[in-house]
Amino acid sequence: MQQRQLGPFSVSAIGLGCMNLSHAYGVPPAPEQAEALLLAALDAGITLFDTAALYGFGANEELVGRVLAPHRNRITLASKCGMTGVEGKRVIDGRPETLKRTCEDSLRRLRTEVIDLYYLHRWDKQVPIEDSVGALAELVREGKIRSIGLSEVSAATLRRAHAVHPIAALQTEYSLWTRNAEIAVLDACKQLGVAFVAFSPLGRGFLADGLPDMATLAALDGKDIRRAMPRFAADNYAANLDFLAAYRDIAAAAGCTPAQLALAWLFTRGEHVIPIPGTTRLAHLREDVAASRVQLRVETLQQLDALLARLPIAGARYNATTQTEIDTEEFRA
């Protein structure tokens, strides 16, 4: 596995997003299936594992801690605070006292004395970013976390935070079907020496050809978060299937799967970009890992740009309510 730099850590070029082992995409897999996948990822050379207090309202951290604690010295462990489950509801709370309490809970669930990379999962806009990052800086000094990350923030907010304490990584959605990062924050990360961690690099399954038709979309579990996302609304998705058909052809011509094409494209966006696909299936895990060996020709990149220009993705990535909770730059229609 190729390596990339994330703050003080050298990590696998592809990390593992652990969220969907416990959260968000319908019924999670059985515990033994989730455990097998985590260990398979470790054996495949993945060293960056990404979880959060929110995922499964603590269940994902408990899973990761139970399975990976015996291998703690082999991995870079990332988790998140600032957005948690409170009495069964998702709550954004960036107050310093809350972040410190959440960290103690995460350390216990993860069965570790220190978290390598601790993200502010969402910026609580009721709390100055300087105050939230200041609290995380105290956790660094106390030896409870090794480095600080931010999630779903703009270049301007990143710079404000970085002035308080060096930021090791910024995480936001980035893929062929979500390129908002290219407005400003991708370059800001490069300028500041901040790793850019791309979540949902497979377009929430779309770019992996996981939802190939309207029937598959309609069959999504009732609690699947994609049901509330505009791009997966029936009218938008019908239009996006035209893009998908042409995208499949480009992948075939490049000699790789659609998922591998999406990940390989991200590797061309900068040495500081680290995708963290998530999956519940061993076959998909192996497919994703193999993407690190795919080399794309200039002609393939040009074909992808031309396809996006001809068939732009229909629909916003979040609904209006969720959009108010994030701080990322957005393209204007």
Side-chain angles (χ1 to χ4, degrees):
M1 175 73 73
Q2 300 174 29
Q3 302 292 297
R4 293 204 163 181
Q5 199 66 27
L6 192 162
F9 311 105
S10 178
V11 302
S12 53
I14 294 176
L16 182 69
C18 300
M19 180 181 74
N20 56 355
L21 296 176
S22 307
H23 182 87
Y25 293 107
V27 178
E32 57 271 20
Q33 181 182 345
E35 292 169 12
L37 189 128
L38 288 170
L39 293 174
L42 188 67
D43 289 343
I46 289 177
T47 61
L48 175 61
F49 290 82
D50 183 278
T51 181
L54 176 71
Y55 303 158
F57 291 5
N60 197 248
E61 285 185 326
E62 289 176 351
L63 168 69
V64 170
R66 182 174 70 253
V67 177
L68 296 182
H71 310 282
R72 183 67 182 87
N73 63 345
R74 296 173 58 189
I75 68 171
T76 297
L77 181 60
S79 193
K80 308 180 193 70
C81 61
M83 184 163 64
T84 56
V86 178
E87 297 180 351
K89 296 182 179 180
R90 182 173 61 85
V91 174
I92 296 174
D93 185 347
R95 292 174 297 173
E97 60 271 23
T98 301
L99 304 185
K100 292 178 180 180
R101 184 176 67 250
T102 302
C103 182
E104 295 294 342
D105 292 341
S106 292
L107 289 167
R108 172 179 49 79
R109 289 190 291 258
L110 291 166
R111 304 187 187 190
T112 187
E113 294 181 354
V114 60
I115 298 169
D116 297 317
L117 173 61
Y118 203 42
Y119 290 95
L120 185 66
H121 203 161
R122 289 291 185 275
W123 172 31
D124 179 354
K125 297 175 185 178
Q126 304 303 311
V127 180
I129 190 67
E130 291 82 0
D131 291 357
S132 294
V133 172
L136 297 180
E138 290 182 21
L139 291 173
V140 173
R141 289 190 289 270
E142 293 169 5
K144 295 178 179 178
I145 67 175
R146 290 194 171 106
S147 62
I148 297 172
L150 299 175
S151 178
E152 294 277 50
V153 300
S154 65
T157 302
L158 168 63
R159 293 183 188 280
R160 286 172 56 190
H162 197 72
V164 175
H165 187 281
I167 302 300
L170 183 145
Q171 180 174 146
T172 197
E173 184 174 357
Y174 187 34
S175 71
L176 274 163
W177 93 330
T178 299
R179 297 181 67 168
N180 306 72
E182 295 172 5
I183 299 172
V185 78
L186 187 65
D187 284 344
C189 284
K190 185 175 182 179
Q191 293 164 8
L192 295 172
V194 176
F196 184 98
V197 177
F199 78 76
S200 295
L202 302 179
R204 303 185 186 275
F206 176 79
L207 294 171
D209 208 9
L211 296 167
D213 51 43
M214 298 301 291
T216 311
L217 178 70
L220 287 178
D221 184 87
K223 294 184 179 180
D224 192 303
I225 61 172
R226 289 172 288 189
R227 286 193 171 274
M229 295 178 172
R231 288 182 181 174
F232 293 94
D235 54 346
N236 286 330
Y237 202 73
N240 290 332
L241 286 176
D242 292 337
F243 173 95
L244 184 60
Y247 176 75
R248 287 192 199 105
D249 292 340
I250 295 174
C256 62
T257 68
Q260 290 168 343
L261 177 59
L263 294 171
W265 178 84
L266 279 168
F267 289 135
T268 71
R269 312 316 292 173
E271 290 293 325
H272 62 310
V273 177
I274 304 169
I276 52 167
T279 184
T280 62
R281 300 182 185 181
L282 291 174
H284 290 172
L285 172 68
R286 298 186 186 103
E287 180 184 353
D288 293 346
V289 168
S292 65
R293 300 188 291 274
V294 173
Q295 299 292 321
L296 298 181
R297 298 182 303 164
V298 171
E299 291 81 0
T300 302
L301 298 177
Q302 292 171 340
Q303 288 171 349
L304 290 170
D305 285 340
L307 174 58
L308 283 164
R310 180 168 61 88
L311 293 173
I313 300 300
R317 70 182 182 113
Y318 287 138
N319 61 38
T321 299
T322 303
Q323 188 63 43
T324 64
E325 298 175 348
I326 64 173
D327 179 52
T328 55
E329 294 91 356
E330 299 298 320
F331 288 114
R332 301 301 177 189

